[in-house]
Amino acid sequence: MAIDYQKEGKIAIFTINRPEALNAMNVQAARELHEAMVDFRDDPELWVGIITGAGDRAFCAGADIKDMLPFLKEHLQSSPWAMPATPMRGLDLWKPLIAAINGLTMGGGLEIALACDLRIASEKARFGCPEVTLGLIPGWGATQRLPRIVPWCKAAELLLTGKPIDAQEAYRIGLVNIVVPTEAVMSTAKEWAEVICQAGPLAVRAAKEAMIRGSSLTLEDGLRLENALEAYLMSTEDFTEGTTAFVEKRKPDFKGK
Ligand code: DAK
């Protein structure tokens, strides 16, 4: 399997498993990622996802230049949705995703990380958008997400020069949440996932939906969206449980209902 998909309690773990090609995404990997993400989205027992790369060198070196790019050349013009829907493009997913970035993160690999909500990076990680050096632009969202995440001039630097940056620079510009030793990347991602699992899962999903959908709305429409999601949350059992637990001075037992 190009994508190893595991469930550990409430956490889903997706591992891009092509270390011999620095975990470059071929078409098969994209299909398997789609299937695993749909299962994650639809499984009520799963609350948080973590994406990582197999081996100790790379998170993901991007689209497989020998497999995925020829496939796209053949299909993309006639079929803009030739690639299966993923969180990078086409699959709405309000459950939170954490990128456990264990090494090189290039091109489509950076786009996978950008489609996650939180990014935990190894001190050895490097980040780049080398597509222009291949005569391309990114196709899984980096031209759109990167300037929304980091300052415009840094997004332009990455996207126009194709030159990579190291983990400390990625942290400095706000591209990643934290930099840790390589061996601590996965354990840190799991710790953060566990913290999120203590919160009301429907509230976590609503917060993500409000952030993402709100980012392309006017402030007024965004506030309306926020209000609608708040009204929905107040009708849930989780809201009753969270507030009752506070009053009763105990831990809430959220059910996602
Ligand atoms: N594709 C295929 N194989 C790759 C690869 C890739 N992206 N990256 C590395 N590999 C393979 C190498 O070919 C090599 O295989 P063998 O020769 O051993 O068989 C093996 O991984 C080890 O790589 P290197 O020997 O090159 O390792 P180095 O440490 O010397 O160099 C490197 C590491 C990351 C600097 C180098 O491998 C490199 O430059 N890789 C290419 C990185 C890159 O350009 N990535 C961007 C690809 S374009 C779209 C969606 C997405 C995209 C486009 C459209 N739509 C939905 C429309 C995304 C596009 C891209 O990501």
Side-chain angles (χ1 to χ4, degrees), residues 22-233:
L22 301 182
N23 298 320
M25 292 288 288
N26 59 9
V27 177
Q28 180 63 20
R31 288 193 178 125
E32 290 179 25
L33 187 63
H34 163 81
E35 280 163 24
M37 283 289 168
V38 169
D39 182 89
F40 169 57
R41 182 194 64 188
D42 296 341
D43 185 338
E45 304 300 320
L46 295 172
W47 291 10
V48 180
I50 298 176
I51 309 182
T52 194
D56 55 6
R57 284 203 61 205
F59 173 73
C60 171
D64 190 309
I65 296 169
K66 302 164 214 167
D67 174 284
M68 190 171 133
L69 296 186
F71 174 88
L72 284 169
K73 178 176 162 71
E74 193 183 334
H75 296 285
L76 198 59
Q77 249 172 5
S78 57
S79 170
W81 292 99
M83 289 311 287
T86 58
M88 293 82 85
R89 186 164 179 262
L91 185 76
D92 281 345
L93 180 70
W94 306 132
K95 291 181 181 178
L97 283 176
I98 301 174
I101 301 169
N102 54 309
L104 276 165
T105 300
M106 313 292 276
L110 179 54
E111 297 182 289
I112 294 172
L114 292 172
C116 293
D117 308 292
L118 299 166
R119 286 170 282 280
I120 316 279
S122 151
E123 59 199 0
K124 294 194 185 128
R126 282 159 64 81
F127 302 84
C129 294
E131 283 89 341
V132 288
T133 69
L134 297 168
L136 278 183
I137 59 169
W140 267 338
T143 62
Q144 304 307 303
R145 290 195 179 98
L146 202 52
R148 286 166 159 88
I149 290 172
V150 303
W152 187 272
C153 66
K154 297 309 291 188
E157 185 180 321
L158 282 156
L159 288 163
L160 307 187
T161 69
K163 286 207 169 130
I165 58 172
D166 66 17
Q168 285 308 333
E169 176 70 349
Y171 177 71
R172 199 184 65 79
I173 65 174
L175 179 57
V176 301
N177 294 80
I178 186 171
V179 178
V180 297
T182 309
E183 59 278 12
V185 167
M186 200 57 194
S187 56
T188 307
K190 285 183 182 176
E191 276 166 29
W192 286 42
E194 292 295 349
V195 171
I196 295 172
C197 286
Q198 302 306 308
L202 300 179
V204 169
R205 286 167 216 167
K208 173 170 175 172
E209 182 178 352
M211 279 181 74
I212 291 181
R213 289 183 50 208
S215 69
S216 52
L217 297 176
T218 61
L219 177 60
E220 197 185 333
D221 287 345
L223 292 173
R224 220 170 264 141
L225 169 67
E226 184 186 71
N227 212 52
L229 287 165
E230 191 77 293
Y232 150 71
L233 288 171

